[in-house]
Amino acid sequence: MTNYALVTGSSKGIGKAIAESVAREKYNVLLVARSEKLLQNLAAEIRQKYNVDAKWLALDLSEHTAATEVKDWVTKNNFPVSILINNAGYGLWGNFNELALEDQNNMLQLNVLTLVNLTWL
């Protein structure tokens, strides 16, 4: 059974570089981020360039059910995950009292709760 590395926030930037790095080391990769088209293209590129399996799940990880949805996807498809790279995250800029509470809660959900839940699951 071949192991997978699950990389969140893998559609671009550091997450994309991390996904390519683990694929280079011959790990299959599970790519999770919001950008479906970018994930689809990256998965195809990784499969071709590194000769490993690459699957993707387009999902907004700031949703409160996101960690469970990722776990359910992994379980349903019987992906043996041996590495979890919690790369997804973002920050808000500006005066605290001028930023929307919903935006702040979404940021905390992604940066803290989804990260902890994915690690635990």
Side-chain angles (χ1 to χ4, degrees), residues 37-102:
K37 190 65 174 166
L38 292 175
L39 290 171
Q40 192 174 23
N41 291 340
L42 179 59
E45 180 182 318
I46 285 174
R47 283 191 293 268
Q48 180 182 29
K49 189 172 182 179
Y50 300 107
N51 197 31
V52 297
D53 193 20
K55 306 290 188 198
W56 55 270
L57 175 65
L59 180 66
D60 182 349
L61 292 168
S62 71
E63 295 294 327
H64 75 280
T65 59
T68 302
E69 290 179 51
V70 172
K71 179 194 176 286
D72 291 347
W73 175 66
V74 166
T75 302
K76 177 183 173 189
N77 291 286
N78 199 29
F79 297 131
V81 175
S82 61
I83 297 174
L84 170 61
I85 300 168
N86 279 310
N87 171 72
Y90 69 95
L92 296 172
W93 309 102
N95 293 325
F96 179 78
N97 62 325
E98 295 173 358
L99 297 170
L101 181 58
E102 182 180 2

Side-chain angles (χ1 to χ4, degrees), residues 5-22 29-46 54-59 61 70 73 84-89 110:
L6 192 154
V7 184
T8 67
S10 51
S11 61
K12 56 189 171 185
I14 294 170
K16 180 179 177 183
I18 291 169
E20 290 174 340
S21 178
V22 294
V29 292
L30 301 175
L31 310 169
V32 181
R34 290 179 300 174
S35 308
E36 184 172 8
K37 190 65 174 166
L38 292 175
L39 290 171
Q40 192 174 23
N41 291 340
L42 179 59
E45 180 182 318
I46 285 174
K55 306 290 188 198
W56 55 270
L57 175 65
L59 180 66
L61 292 168
V70 172
W73 175 66
L84 170 61
I85 300 168
N86 279 310
N87 171 72
L110 173 59

